[in-house]
Amino acid sequence: MATGQLFSRTTQALFYNYKQLPIQRMLDFDFLCGRETPSVAGIINPGSEGFQKLFFGLEEIAIPVHSTIEAACAAHPTADVFINFASFRSAAASSMAALKQPTMRVVAIIAEGVPESDTKQLIAYARANNKVVIGPATVGGIQAGAFKIGDTAGTIDNIIHCKLYRPGSVGFVSKSGGMSNELYNTVARVTDGIYEGIAIGGDVFPGSTLSDHVLRFNNIPQVKMMVVLGELGGRDEYSLVEALKQGKVTKPVVAWVSGTCARLFKSEVQFGHAGAKSGGELESAQGKNQALREVGAVVPTSYEALETAIKETFEKLVEEGKISPVKEVTPPQIPEDLNTAIKSGKVRAPTHIISTISDDRGEEPCYAGVPMSSIVEQGLGVGDVISLLWFKRSLPRYCTKFIEICIMLCADHGPCVSGAHNSIVTARAGKDLVSSLVSGLLTIGPRFGGAIDDAARYFKDAYDRGLTPYEFVEGMKKKGIRVPGIGHRIKRGDNRDKRVELLQRFARSNFPSVKYMEYAVQVETYTLSKANNLVMNVDGAIGSLFLDLLAGSGMFTKQEIDEIVEIGYLNGLFVLARSIGLIGHTFDQKRLKQPLYRHPWEDVLYTK
């Protein structure tokens, strides 16, 4: 066990099992104390490497993240404190690994419930190698104006209130972390403040004892008096009694053992900590307080009188000239985090993204204001979800059914079309699903599946302007533009595309109006008079019928319809549908374990 000061203004720690808030509190304390370097040198997160961004005052810093304790210790040889935020299941193993590192001097174990047999092994190893264990079940410790462990002393406001940003003259040790905060406040009210405070933890076998730290404080010149807060249960306080009896402690000790109320209960009572359970008169709070009083400790008659006892002891030391007044300093203002300032109404900040289609902030995600559970409970389908996420409204059932039919009919068109071919070649090259899918999607455009928007745009413009099919087609010809939605490589006037017929049949039976579709049919009649392959294709059918869906439903304004066509909603329908087929082709090739594709040279015209 160390015999003197544990921490200083240059102490640095390694933090095990990343927790943003306690690390940020440590860094804020550093800034408050005027430290030049952050007290957290590195973070250990098993299985992760990289950096974590945190704030050191106004400056944003990147703290290295290491995957192993050994790597972190090698990278930061001056860090000699290990702050262990692992769970009780792994705290012992990671703490032992840290103790075995030659650079580590102090290990703080935050977790409660560490198996007692494991704790005993840690204690034995630490004592044999002159190292210090604080905990388990501890909040940690603090050296005022220099260094603190994790959440010790709570919020920055509490730290400032307790004057922990600069050193005082009092050494404090307690079993309880929560009561430590209370005593820091008490000590600050009636003395010049804390020099060092330690919470050893409330487990039955703490890594270091009350007397261990009192003896350390006795060797620190800046510590002029000690305050000790024990509790019923166990016999740790008697090691302090023995030290006082043997004269090993030469500075005033003000002590109180909590739990005197236990005698009011008829049966044995387990208090908050694992070790806070009286096992007889010796382990009772009354027995311990009396023993401490008999060997010269200042022990008040009650907890309420503890503050007065501390005050009187301090004032006596001042009168004797053993304590000089501490020069007060004004700590710097800790910059407030943006999120905190926004919540408190102190600042306003612009958002970076606008979303109107979904919201995941409540108990369940909502699509255009409709809860996910409602969608499932009503038996809505994919078409309904698309109507909510794309069009931000619940469309009539015939509309959503039409959307679903379009998806089913456009899901695939065999392995020979460009999109499927690309996905197949990519999958056979050993690439992953996303790469194979994207390679197929990238072929979608004006020549393959991407003409739905253009078909809708041109048919709508021609119909709205009252052009005859002749005027429309010949006008497009003069501009050198092929009529989108007309023409097929395979289908002919006497061999129509079955998908087009299914879509038209559904629309005539369910849509209130099919004026745009009928206009497209008239255009097809004219183009077929010119060539037998200038038949309406699926792009033209979907484009014209979607215009009828939007206009006939009565749920969209003319401006909204124009915007939907302009943005590319209708091509989005083909992209969504064809993704199903492209994924299928990718899976098919991988399932068949097809080798790398090489195009046959016989199928290439080599020419100069």
Side-chain angles (χ1 to χ4, degrees):
M1 177 71 190
T3 57
Q5 194 162 299
L6 292 183
F7 314 119
S8 71
R9 288 175 60 83
T10 59
T11 296
Q12 286 194 300
L14 295 177
F15 196 103
Y16 187 88
N17 197 19
Y18 176 70
K19 296 285 186 295
Q20 191 268 339
L21 185 57
I23 296 179
Q24 187 59 63
R25 282 181 169 175
M26 289 179 67
L27 297 175
D28 287 344
F29 179 74
D30 297 341
F31 180 74
L32 197 70
C33 298
R35 280 184 57 130
E36 294 182 1
T37 56
S39 60
V40 180
I43 297 166
I44 304 164
N45 232 20
S48 300
E49 291 184 345
F51 294 88
Q52 281 289 349
K53 294 194 302 179
L54 293 130
F55 282 100
F56 183 59
L58 285 169
E59 181 186 359
E60 193 170 24
I61 61 173
I63 297 181
V65 178
H66 305 276
S67 60
T68 67
I69 294 171
E70 293 76 13
C73 290
H76 310 283
T78 59
D80 58 3
V81 177
F82 184 82
I83 302 172
N84 195 344
F85 266 75
S87 71
F88 70 91
R89 289 178 291 272
S90 60
S94 48
S95 295
M96 182 61 81
L99 284 170
K100 290 181 177 180
Q101 298 303 308
T103 54
M104 277 301 140
R105 191 171 48 86
V106 179
V107 172
I109 307 170
I110 310 302
E112 293 184 49
V114 176
E116 293 177 2
S117 59
D118 292 340
T119 304
K120 289 178 180 178
Q121 291 180 25
L122 292 172
I123 294 169
Y125 187 90
R127 292 193 179 277
N129 291 275
N130 197 32
K131 300 193 177 189
V132 179
V133 173
I134 302 173
T138 181
V139 72
I142 186 169
Q143 183 174 321
F147 177 84
K148 87 180 188 89
I149 294 171
D151 291 316
T152 302
T155 65
I156 287 297
D157 287 342
N158 189 64
I159 287 170
I160 293 173
H161 189 71
C162 297
K163 300 179 182 178
L164 292 166
Y165 51 83
R166 53 94 176 131
S169 303
V170 180
F172 171 76
V173 61
S174 166
K175 287 187 176 180
S176 169
M179 287 305 296
S180 294
N181 282 353
E182 182 67 29
L183 264 294
Y184 293 152
N185 193 298
T186 300
V187 169
R189 281 200 304 270
V190 297
T191 74
D192 61 2
I194 293 287
Y195 184 80
E196 183 183 323
I198 298 289
I200 66 170
D203 278 2
V204 177
F205 298 101
S208 51
T209 66
L210 297 173
S211 60
D212 286 337
H213 295 286
V214 169
L215 290 170
R216 274 198 316 104
F217 295 157
N218 197 64
N219 294 329
I220 300 173
Q222 297 91 330
V223 175
K224 306 300 183 183
M225 62 176 284
M226 283 83 89
V227 175
V228 179
L229 184 65
E231 63 185 23
L232 82 164
R235 302 195 177 186
D236 188 14
E237 289 80 1
Y238 287 101
S239 61
L240 176 56
V241 169
E242 198 61 30
L244 286 164
K245 185 185 297 184
Q246 294 175 9
K248 294 181 180 179
V249 180
T250 58
K251 298 175 183 179
V253 175
V254 180
W256 177 253
V257 178
S258 298
T260 53
C261 66
R263 285 186 176 176
L264 299 175
F265 299 95
K266 293 181 180 180
S267 59
E268 187 176 77
V269 176
Q270 171 72 60
F271 287 82
H273 293 145
K277 181 172 68 173
S278 179
E281 180 59 28
L282 276 176
E283 295 188 9
S284 70
Q286 285 85 348
K288 293 180 179 182
N289 280 326
Q290 183 59 33
L292 286 164
R293 189 179 290 116
E294 289 174 354
V295 292
V298 178
V299 181
T301 56
S302 67
Y303 176 79
E304 288 73 16
L306 179 60
E307 181 172 333
T308 301
I310 296 171
K311 182 175 184 292
E312 291 174 350
T313 303
F314 177 79
E315 288 176 347
K316 183 179 178 183
L317 290 169
V318 172
E319 290 173 7
E320 293 172 353
K322 295 180 179 178
I323 295 180
S324 301
V326 172
K327 183 181 178 181
E328 285 296 341
V329 295
T330 302
Q333 181 72 36
I334 297 291
E336 194 167 13
D337 289 341
L338 181 60
N339 289 339
T340 304
I342 290 172
K343 287 179 180 179
S344 63
K346 293 180 181 178
V347 299
R348 57 189 182 188
T351 55
H352 297 91
I353 294 176
I354 301 174
S355 176
T356 65
I357 64 169
S358 62
D359 190 339
D360 60 344
R361 293 172 298 177
E363 293 184 0
E364 60 177 319
C366 292
Y367 294 165
V370 180
M372 187 81 72
S373 57
S374 178
I375 293 172
V376 175
E377 289 164 2
Q378 294 179 50
L380 302 182
V382 172
D384 299 284
V385 171
I386 291 172
S387 78
L388 292 171
L389 291 178
W390 290 17
F391 302 105
K392 293 177 27 177
R393 64 205 77 189
S394 294
L395 295 174
R397 182 55 189 154
Y398 75 86
C399 296
T400 59
K401 179 66 175 175
F402 176 75
I403 291 172
E404 291 171 358
I405 291 173
C406 290
I407 292 173
M408 290 188 287
L409 295 180
C410 296
D412 192 51
H413 203 189
C416 298
V417 295
S418 57
H421 180 79
N422 263 27
S423 289
I424 289 170
V425 171
T426 307
R428 290 178 59 168
K431 299 291 284 185
D432 59 279
L433 171 62
V434 174
S435 300
S436 302
L437 171 62
V438 169
S439 70
L441 291 175
L442 287 173
T443 64
I444 296 176
R447 297 183 181 181
F448 169 62
I452 301 176
D453 283 317
D454 283 342
R457 187 177 299 114
Y458 283 112
F459 283 143
K460 184 176 186 301
D461 178 70
Y463 178 86
D464 291 349
R465 289 196 292 133
L467 298 180
T468 65
Y470 168 81
E471 291 170 330
F472 171 52
V473 174
E474 296 304 322
M476 295 285 282
K477 183 178 179 181
K478 288 180 181 179
K479 296 175 185 177
I481 303 173
R482 294 181 179 181
V483 178
I486 296 292
H488 205 287
R489 290 176 63 96
I490 298 174
K491 298 299 179 181
R492 299 291 184 270
D494 54 354
N495 180 27
R496 303 288 180 93
D497 190 330
K498 190 69 174 177
R499 297 174 298 173
V500 172
E501 293 178 350
L502 289 169
L503 290 168
Q504 291 176 338
R505 189 182 310 146
F506 178 85
R508 287 193 174 101
S509 301
N510 294 277
F511 282 24
S513 169
V514 288
K515 61 183 182 180
Y516 288 108
M517 185 200 76
E518 295 297 359
Y519 181 74
V521 170
Q522 293 172 24
V523 171
E524 178 194 43
T525 301
Y526 178 75
T527 56
L528 282 173
S529 69
K530 291 177 164 291
N532 199 33
N533 70 323
L534 296 180
V535 65
M536 187 187 304
N537 57 39
V538 73
D539 292 350
I542 293 176
S544 60
L545 285 171
F546 234 102
L547 291 173
D548 287 323
L549 182 152
L550 297 171
S553 68
M555 300 181 70
F556 299 89
T557 65
K558 181 181 182 303
Q559 182 181 354
E560 286 177 322
I561 295 173
D562 290 339
E563 186 178 53
I564 286 169
V565 173
E566 185 62 32
I567 288 176
Y569 275 53
L570 309 188
N571 277 353
L573 197 64
F574 183 83
V575 170
L576 175 62
R578 190 50 57 92
S579 293
I580 299 171
L582 299 179
I583 291 171
H585 283 296
T586 301
F587 289 157
D588 190 41
Q589 297 303 305
K590 290 185 177 295
R591 183 173 55 247
L592 295 171
K593 297 179 174 58
Q594 290 297 286
L596 178 69
Y597 174 83
R598 178 181 172 85
H599 200 74
W601 62 264
E602 296 91 342
D603 196 36
V604 177
L605 174 61
Y606 295 93
T607 183
K608 294 182 179 179

